[in-house]
């Protein structure tokens, strides 16, 4: 009986110690060493400990939010938020690629109406297909280019455009639904919700911009313009692609940053360096200069991809299918690059900018110059990251990310040259457009490795480390008892 009584008292003491550890102090009734007392004294101790048991099972649980070491921490988005954003960015990537194929197969003008809700379903009966085909027959594209197209031909281009629009709708649902859920459950901070809400707004604006682009190719005025080709405006096409790339960058960069912050808060390293060194390393002048150069290169990658939209919009890839020369010269004749036939004002003041954006020869030359500049800049930035002086201070993950970016730049250059030499075949051209997004992703990854851990991640890391120390102390006490 005495042994059972002593064992119960010691067990009660240990339970009280563990339950109070969340309060950063151990509430412990005084008990002599090794729990050795007379039976009457132990019975008194067990009776006195009951109020503590009641307190620990109700008061502590009811005040867990104030007692927990992480109770007052700022909101730190969980890894699931980052994964959701990465999946959303993958959907944008797919939309960009499918949109490129839609343009290459000249399918973008096959659907002549914008029906965001009812357009989810394609025609389901023969009569509905005939009705859609009749609408297409009224477009300038059918009258000027595809007058011999059959219903079977129309179905192919219809499904290409329908797939592109369906992916856009899917992105809207896949983004807005989880955003509302994470906002209501307070999984993301107010600032993050506002930023992501802005991205959600861009998704809707992107759909409207897409229809605005399509309208430019359905304009009946094209029938009256000499030499006109029924296609969408290259300006609107570039705006459409630019907004898609901005959406992608926002989702990809934010998602990757959230995942890295979450891992850091759980005790992981930051870009391959220890937590105590991260801020000091990233604040060094050499690293800060490298970061500014990486930002400039990322902007150049974006601009080069945007110039590709003008190449696609004007079918400029079908002129001068050789590299590195254009008609046997590195630079075409000036009168061809800045032809007066593209100027529309009487004083010719629009000669320069209209040739830059509307002359296929000039547009292709500009794209070549931008692509070459991007490649050389990537090479130089990668080479600088390999120099011993900079390599010694750059985070290891930054060096790896920069190597991946340079490797992707090589792939992209090969895809671009092959697309040009082989007269823009659909598979190569689609791969080239996908490569531009991949190169942008690689540079975004470089930038993410150069940012400091978020304040919320740093606070959570400290709090969880303290909680872990408390758990270790409790475990040691249990072993001692």
């Amino acid at each position: 009986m005495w042994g059972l009584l002593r064992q119960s008292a010691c067990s009660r003491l240990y339970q009280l110690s563990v339950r109070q550890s969340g309060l950063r102090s151990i509430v412990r009734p005084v008990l002599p060493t090794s729990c050795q007392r007379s039976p009457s004294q132990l019975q008194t101790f067990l009776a006195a400990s009951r109020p503590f048991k009641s307190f620990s099972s109700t008061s502590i649980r009811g005040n867990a939010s104030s007692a927990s070491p992480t109770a007052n921490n700022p909101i730190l988005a969980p890894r699931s938020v980052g994964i959701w954003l990465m999946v959303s960015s993958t959907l944008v990537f797919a939309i960009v690629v499918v949109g490129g194929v839609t343009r290459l197969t000249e399918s973008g003008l096959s659907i002549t109406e914008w029906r965001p809700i009812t357009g989810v379903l394609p025609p389901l009966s023969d009569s509905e297909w005939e009705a859609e085909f009749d609408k297409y027959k009224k477009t300038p594209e059918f009258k000027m280019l595809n007058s011999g197209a059959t219903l079977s031909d129309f179905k192919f281009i219809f499904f290409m455009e329908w797939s592109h629009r369906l992916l856009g709708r899917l992105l809207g649902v896949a983004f807005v639904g989880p955003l509302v859920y994470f906002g209501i459950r307070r999984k993301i901070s107010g600032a993050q919700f506002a930023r992501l809400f802005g991205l959600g707004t861009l998704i809707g604006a992107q759909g409207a911009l897409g229809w605005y682009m399509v309208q430019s190719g359905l304009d009946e005025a094209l029938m009256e313009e000499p030499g006109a080709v029924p296609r969408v405006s290259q300006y609107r096409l570039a705006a459409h692609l630019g907004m898609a790339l901005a959406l992608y960058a926002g989702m990809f960069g934010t998602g990757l940053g959230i995942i890295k912050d979450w891992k850091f808060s759980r005790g992981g390293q930051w870009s391959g360096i220890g937590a105590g060194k991260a801020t000091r390393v990233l604040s060094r002048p050499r690293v800060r200069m490298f970061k500014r150069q990486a930002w400039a290169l990322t902007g150049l990658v974006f601009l080069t991809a945007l110039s590709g939209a003008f190449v696609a919009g004007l079918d400029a890839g079908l002129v001068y299918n050789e590299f590195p020369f254009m008609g046997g010269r590195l630079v075409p004749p000036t009168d061809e690059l800045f032809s007066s036939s593209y100027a529309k004002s009487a004083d010719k003041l629009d000669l320069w900018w209209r040739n830059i954006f509307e002359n296929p020869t000039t547009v292709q030359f500009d794209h070549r110059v931008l692509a070459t500049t991007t490649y050389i800049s990537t090479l130089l930035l990668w080479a600088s990251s390999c120099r011993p002086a900079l390599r010694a201070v750059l985070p290891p993950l930054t060096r790896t990310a920069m190597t991946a970016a340079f490797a992707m730049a090589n792939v992209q250059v090969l895809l671009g040259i092959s697309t040009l030499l082989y007269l823009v075949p659909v598979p190569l051209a689609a791969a080239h457009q996908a490569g531009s997004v991949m190169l942008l992703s690689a540079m975004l990854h470089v930038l993410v490795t150069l940012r400091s851990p978020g304040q919320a991640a740093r606070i959570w890391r400290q709090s969880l480390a303290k909680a872990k120390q408390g758990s270790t102390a409790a475990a040691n006490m249990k072993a001692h008892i």
Side-chain angles (χ1 to χ4, degrees), residues 98-334:
V98 173
V101 175
T102 301
R103 174 69 188 89
L104 291 165
T105 55
E106 298 183 348
S107 305
L109 301 176
S110 57
I111 301 179
T112 61
E113 297 174 331
W114 189 39
R115 296 176 295 169
I117 305 300
T118 59
V120 172
L121 295 176
L124 300 177
S125 63
D126 292 340
S127 59
E128 289 179 349
W129 274 113
E130 289 292 347
E132 287 294 333
F133 193 26
D134 288 340
K135 295 175 185 176
Y136 178 67
K137 289 178 180 179
K138 298 177 182 178
T139 64
E141 183 179 70
F142 179 84
K143 296 174 182 178
M144 299 172 69
L145 296 179
N146 296 335
S147 58
T150 63
L151 180 59
S152 179
D153 298 328
F154 172 70
K155 286 182 178 181
F156 172 78
I157 62 174
F158 181 94
F159 273 118
M160 285 301 308
E161 174 65 10
W162 177 79
S163 299
H164 181 57
R165 296 189 184 191
L166 183 64
L167 281 173
R169 294 181 175 98
L170 178 61
L171 172 66
V173 173
F175 188 84
V176 174
L179 175 60
V180 173
Y181 170 79
F182 288 131
I184 293 175
R185 295 297 302 272
R186 296 182 60 81
K187 298 292 185 180
I188 53 180
S189 65
Q192 286 176 327
F193 181 83
R195 189 183 308 117
L196 296 177
F197 182 82
L199 290 178
T201 304
L202 277 183
I203 294 176
Q206 177 73 333
L209 180 58
W211 172 242
Y212 178 64
M213 176 189 69
V214 170
Q215 281 184 316
S216 66
L218 300 175
D219 192 351
E220 290 291 337
L222 292 169
M223 300 288 295
E224 303 173 1
E225 186 177 341
V229 178
R231 58 191 175 203
V232 299
S233 164
Q234 71 271 24
Y235 297 104
R236 301 183 191 184
L237 178 62
H240 193 49
L241 176 63
M243 187 176 289
L245 293 178
L247 268 172
Y248 177 83
M251 294 176 182
F252 182 85
T254 305
L256 200 58
I258 286 175
I259 292 174
K260 282 178 63 65
D261 276 346
W262 185 87
K263 289 182 178 179
F264 179 79
S265 70
R266 263 60 184 175
Q269 290 187 324
W270 186 263
S271 297
I273 54 181
K277 300 179 181 179
T279 303
R280 184 171 68 255
V281 168
L282 295 174
S283 63
R284 288 174 176 171
R286 288 180 181 270
V287 177
R288 291 169 65 87
M289 175 60 72
F290 185 87
K291 183 178 181 179
R292 287 193 291 268
Q293 293 170 345
W295 267 108
L297 179 55
T298 304
L300 187 57
V301 170
F302 184 90
L303 182 61
T304 304
L306 211 58
S307 73
F310 285 91
V311 174
L314 293 170
D315 291 325
L318 298 176
V319 299
Y320 289 113
N321 298 102
E322 55 183 331
F323 190 86
F325 301 108
M326 298 179 72
R329 306 171 56 170
L330 283 175
V331 181
T334 304

Side-chain angles (χ1 to χ4, degrees), residues 1-3 5-6 9 35-46:
M1 180 65 184
W2 161 251
L5 190 61
R6 184 167 63 87
C35 303
Q36 294 182 358
R37 266 306 208 186
S38 66
S40 59
Q41 288 176 320
L42 284 175
Q43 289 175 349
T44 302
F45 167 76
L46 289 173

Side-chain angles (χ1 to χ4, degrees), residues 21 71 81 85 89 103 176 295 306 319 328 330 372 377 386 390 396 415 417 475:
S21 61
V81 174
L85 286 171
S89 69
R103 174 69 188 89
V176 174
W295 267 108
L306 211 58
V319 299
L330 283 175
T372 303
S377 300
C386 296
L390 186 57
L415 286 172
I417 295 174

